[in-house]
Amino acid sequence: MATLLHLDSSLFPQSSASRDVTATFRKEWEAQHPDGTVIYRDLAAEPLPHLELDGALAGFTAPDEHTPEQAAAFVLRDQLAAELEQADAILIGAPMYNFTIPSTLKAWLDQVIIRGRTSGEKPSAAGTPVVVVASRGGSYAPGTPRESFEFVQNYLEKVLNGMLGLEVDFIVPELTLARSNPATAHLVDLADASKAKAHEDAATKAKDLVSRLAA
């Protein structure tokens, strides 16, 4: 039975574009794979602590050499790494805040990236597929005026693939603020089309992953 690791990081529990799309993915995943397991973390509702000195040092120190403080701090890092390693697929909601990812998602990354285990020459979760829902209020696509301000996909591709060795795929609902911003009212049709495509992609990717893991 396959295991899905699902992370949401949007601050908004009701009006979040990224949460809506991850919910579509998860609903389809569970419909296709009712006997599977889902590990869920709402990083906004229950934020993880930032990585501090003892936890960081513990990642570079042999377990039998940990101080009591390092051992206590490493419990969480070990748990998060185990969840990552247990997952057959990963789903991440990553809305753009101030051109980059939410700090709560960055805290998860800092905790879960452990040199010599989840990162390094042989990352322990290498090859695991991850679908990232990278929603944003405007458009930062290639050729747009704000293309150079895009630090969500660029960053997550480097860290998820380059450090953790994961197989990264993005779903990008854009222009999510078109209906609430009078200055972008003329983009509502494009926003609606982007939203519809994101939900369609989420359902399709969930089905494809279930089929792939069952093969």
Side-chain angles (χ1 to χ4, degrees):
M1 294 184 292
T3 296
L4 174 70
L5 174 60
H6 176 187
L7 309 174
D8 276 323
S9 60
S10 171
L11 287 170
F12 305 100
Q14 303 298 331
S15 59
S16 165
S18 65
R19 286 180 185 271
D20 281 349
V21 178
T22 61
T24 293
F25 181 103
R26 179 168 167 177
K27 180 179 179 180
E28 190 60 47
W29 170 278
E30 292 179 323
Q32 297 289 323
H33 199 30
D35 295 326
T37 300
V38 177
I39 301 170
Y40 181 61
R41 284 190 176 271
D42 188 330
L43 300 175
E46 298 183 51
L48 298 168
H50 289 293
L51 182 62
E52 296 184 345
L53 179 61
D54 287 324
L57 291 176
F60 295 97
T61 307
D64 60 354
E65 297 178 6
H66 283 174
T67 66
E69 294 78 14
Q70 289 171 358
F74 197 69
V75 169
L76 176 62
R77 301 195 71 190
D78 181 62
Q79 178 185 353
L80 296 173
E83 290 175 357
L84 178 72
E85 293 159 348
Q86 180 183 347
D88 296 289
I90 303 164
L91 173 65
I92 300 176
M96 177 184 281
Y97 289 167
N98 299 318
F99 307 127
T100 189
I101 64 172
S103 62
T104 51
L105 180 54
K106 180 60 163 61
W108 178 81
L109 288 164
D110 288 341
Q111 294 281 8
V112 83
I113 295 171
I114 303 173
R115 184 74 180 175
R117 180 175 173 180
T118 59
S119 73
E121 292 185 6
K122 296 181 178 180
S124 54
T128 304
V130 53
V131 174
V132 179
V133 179
S135 59
R136 62 277 314 270
S139 180
Y140 300 79
T144 61
R146 287 201 164 186
E147 176 184 357
S148 65
F149 289 78
E150 203 294 304
F151 300 107
V152 174
Q153 287 176 266
N154 286 336
Y155 170 70
L156 288 177
E157 174 67 34
K158 299 298 186 294
V159 71
L160 294 174
N161 177 260
M163 295 189 74
L164 295 174
L166 307 178
E167 179 187 303
V168 186
D169 195 5
F170 288 97
I171 298 173
V172 187
E174 291 198 314
L175 304 168
T176 62
L177 296 179
R179 289 187 177 277
S180 60
N181 183 355
T184 57
H186 62 293
L187 299 174
V188 166
D189 288 346
L190 290 175
D192 289 348
S194 180
K195 177 181 179 180
K197 185 177 187 304
H199 283 278
E200 179 183 344
D201 287 349
T204 298
K205 291 178 189 298
K207 290 178 184 178
D208 290 346
L209 270 180
V210 169
S211 297
R212 172 179 161 183
L213 292 172

